[in-house]
Amino acid sequence: MRPGLLLPLVLMLLTARAPAQAAPEQEVDFAALRAAFVELLAVDVPAARAKAAAELARARGVDVATWERALAALPRPPLPLDEPLPEGVSKRTLRLWAGPHGMVDVEVHCFMPKGERPQQGHGLLLACHGTGGMGSGELGIWHRFATRVPLIVLAPTEPGENSGYRFSEDERQVHLSVLRWALLHLPVDRDRVMVCGTSRGGHASWDLALRHPDPWAAILPCIGSPRLSLVGGQNNLRLLDNVVHLTIRDLQGLGDDPAMIWNIRLAFKELERLGARAAKLYEFEGYGHSYTFDGTDVAEVLADARRDPHPTMLHLAASREAEARRAWVRITAFDKVVEDAFRLKVHKKEWEAKDEEQKKLYVHEQALAKTARVQAQAVREDEVLRIKLETEAVRRVALELPRWLWTDPPPGRLLVDWKGRVRRLAPKPDVALYLTRMAEHLDPDRAPVAVVGL
């Protein structure tokens, strides 16, 4: 993969002071720093990319503020494709990272809007197809919305087994790699990235958002649902905290699989309890495994949904270390009670006395009890940043603070209220972490400039 689009860094707090040790601009070769970072973007494997980022941080020997100044001057996109996406519908095959399966060839069906692009780039819709289908079919469903908004649409065809969504890591990584390719190479508005899908693609939309919530402004799953299961760590219904902030539109025919409808309805009850304000379920009488856009506000969501680039309130739920991060909060150690895949322990007579709904609720409650949670709120008061953490089943946590949140005040001006104790802490810059996050997510608003562990 050739390196591509990187959005320019926006320093939200104009009064932020650069660290005292920042190198004078006349002594820094900013062009060389940018060239080295572009080479880092070309590393496809995440572990290798993180290793290369650490090596780059050591080799260059400059601080985070200097890297910020260097990368702020990257053009958009820094390296256009040799063969740009033509306006309208097209198709290309991409060599992408697929997690456990390594690098795979993925056929991606694309739509590029006509005319001049907005200054911030186009919104992007990642469209996930149904069982046995292809990206071309899913692109056809969303094409009419994309032409009006307008939006870039990327619809990958499943490169492996195409017999239904398997809730597997390789499926998730293929979709996330398509997103990263778009952010590298296309004129994308980072705050208007959405994911949608039908049937298998509806399951995928939920799964991607529940396990990796940071990229999205909205999700639009159709006739797909979160999963309540004890099999192979598939259960993502336990992770609804992660999408409380998202705009969600779910379209579902009521003649569909009763188990799936039960899952969806429970999900929206839980979202309401958690305080979600932009989640809406459309149910259609007389429809089976199908739906209609009639009477919905899908077009308005696609046109208006935006991600908050600077969230000061976060909800995070996780049962896997690799998924235990949201924006500027990361769980670094779970309590022993946390389990991703677990066996249900219940007395036989107690189990047999429950009806089907009671059994499902029992499984759900047991999964919730084995899930770690964080609620974090950040408030700035003059030169002091106050962060309040409320956690369940969490032993350790790290705060990965972006520039808009951390303005580098004197040591001791970060106050963290956690577990009944207020701590005065001094975050430390971490160049390797900054470069790793930037190269992985191309998300300058969320790239951490300082980190502190608790």
Side-chain angles (χ1 to χ4, degrees):
M1 179 192 302
R2 284 196 57 190
L5 178 66
L6 179 70
L7 299 181
L9 291 170
V10 179
L11 304 184
M12 293 300 297
L13 298 176
L14 298 179
T15 58
R17 296 190 299 274
Q21 70 271 24
E25 288 197 19
Q26 63 269 24
E27 298 179 7
V28 177
D29 187 342
F30 288 94
L33 293 181
R34 286 190 289 274
F37 182 76
V38 167
E39 291 184 8
L40 180 62
L41 290 178
V43 180
D44 294 297
V45 180
R49 195 162 55 240
K51 181 179 179 181
E55 292 172 351
L56 180 59
R58 289 193 298 269
R60 295 292 171 170
V62 298
D63 59 21
V64 172
T66 303
W67 276 107
E68 287 180 281
R69 291 199 297 273
L71 301 187
L74 281 168
R76 303 178 58 193
L79 288 176
L81 294 167
D82 289 338
E83 298 181 12
L85 289 185
E87 292 183 348
V89 175
S90 63
K91 179 180 71 173
R92 64 175 57 199
T93 299
L94 307 176
R95 187 75 174 166
L96 299 174
W97 171 249
H101 290 176
M103 302 299 294
V104 299
D105 290 327
V106 181
E107 181 184 86
V108 181
H109 294 261
C110 316
F111 174 77
M112 177 62 72
K114 296 180 180 180
E116 187 176 353
R117 79 185 192 199
Q119 182 177 359
Q120 295 301 317
H122 292 294
L124 172 68
L125 186 62
L126 179 63
C128 312
H129 67 74
T131 300
M134 298 177 64
S136 56
E138 196 65 25
L139 179 60
I141 293 174
W142 300 93
H143 176 269
R144 62 186 173 108
F145 296 109
T147 57
R148 285 184 291 176
V149 171
L151 295 168
I152 298 171
V153 183
L154 297 181
T157 296
E158 167 59 35
E161 179 185 342
N162 192 356
S163 57
Y165 192 64
R166 294 173 282 112
F167 293 83
S168 65
E169 189 61 20
D170 60 289
E171 290 171 297
R172 284 187 284 271
Q173 290 303 323
V174 164
H175 287 101
L176 293 172
S177 291
V178 172
L179 170 59
R180 185 171 183 272
W181 178 86
L183 295 173
L184 279 166
H185 295 290
L186 304 180
V188 174
D189 182 342
R190 194 65 182 80
D191 295 323
R192 294 189 57 232
V193 176
M194 295 163 277
V195 60
C196 65
T198 304
S199 189
R200 166 195 172 274
H203 298 316
S205 301
W206 274 109
D207 199 38
L208 288 166
L210 288 164
R211 297 187 183 279
H212 301 279
D214 273 352
W216 319 110
I219 66 170
L220 300 101
C222 304
I223 52 178
S225 72
R227 177 61 62 96
L228 177 66
S229 174
L230 293 174
V231 177
Q234 293 184 7
N235 191 329
N236 57 25
L237 195 57
R238 67 202 295 188
L239 305 176
L240 288 167
D241 303 63
N242 292 336
V243 296
V244 167
H245 65 293
L246 285 179
T247 297
I248 304 173
R249 294 296 184 269
D250 191 303
L251 281 59
Q252 179 61 54
L254 290 180
D256 208 343
D257 178 8
M260 187 170 71
I261 294 173
W262 191 91
N263 286 355
I264 293 171
R265 287 177 168 174
L266 176 62
F268 277 86
K269 286 180 182 178
E270 292 280 77
L271 286 171
E272 183 178 8
R273 178 182 64 82
L274 291 167
R277 297 180 178 179
K280 187 170 184 177
L281 170 62
Y282 287 101
E283 297 182 335
F284 301 103
E285 293 280 1
Y287 285 77
H289 191 59
S290 59
Y291 61 95
T292 177
F293 290 117
D294 294 345
T296 73
D297 65 346
V298 165
E300 289 81 0
V301 167
L302 292 172
D304 299 335
R306 299 192 66 85
R307 184 189 70 157
D308 179 3
H310 309 129
T312 56
M313 172 70 81
L314 298 177
H315 294 81
L316 168 62
S319 58
R320 301 176 182 176
E321 183 179 341
E323 299 170 356
R325 179 175 175 269
R326 261 229 56 212
W328 44 269
V329 173
R330 179 165 59 94
I331 301 170
T332 54
F334 297 130
D335 282 347
K336 292 182 179 179
V337 69
V338 176
E339 292 183 85
D340 187 41
F342 61 92
R343 296 182 62 183
L344 199 63
K345 296 180 180 180
V346 58
H347 194 279
K348 182 179 179 181
K349 289 185 178 180
E350 180 185 352
W351 182 254
E352 291 176 345
K354 299 178 184 294
D355 61 28
E356 286 304 307
E357 181 165 353
Q358 289 171 333
K359 289 177 180 178
K360 290 179 181 179
L361 289 173
Y362 183 82
V363 171
H364 181 55
E365 290 164 0
Q366 292 299 303
L368 292 178
K370 297 178 182 295
T371 303
R373 282 179 179 74
V374 177
Q375 180 173 305
Q377 184 174 19
V379 178
R380 176 164 296 286
E381 300 174 356
D382 297 324
E383 294 280 326
V384 178
L385 175 63
R386 297 178 182 272
I387 294 179
K388 182 176 182 180
L389 300 175
E390 296 180 8
T391 63
E392 298 175 23
V394 173
R395 282 200 297 122
R396 292 197 300 274
V397 67
L399 304 177
E400 300 182 352
L401 304 175
R403 178 63 69 194
W404 62 268
L405 194 56
W406 182 246
T407 57
D408 197 23
R413 304 307 298 274
L414 170 65
L415 302 181
V416 179
D417 183 350
W418 186 37
K419 295 186 176 181
R421 176 185 166 196
V422 177
R423 300 163 171 83
R424 286 182 173 268
L425 301 170
K428 296 181 179 180
D430 189 328
V431 178
L433 180 63
Y434 170 80
L435 292 175
T436 298
R437 294 282 187 255
M438 277 291 293
E440 181 179 2
H441 301 294
L442 294 101
D443 197 351
D445 281 312
R446 305 284 178 93
V449 299
V451 64
V452 62
L454 294 95

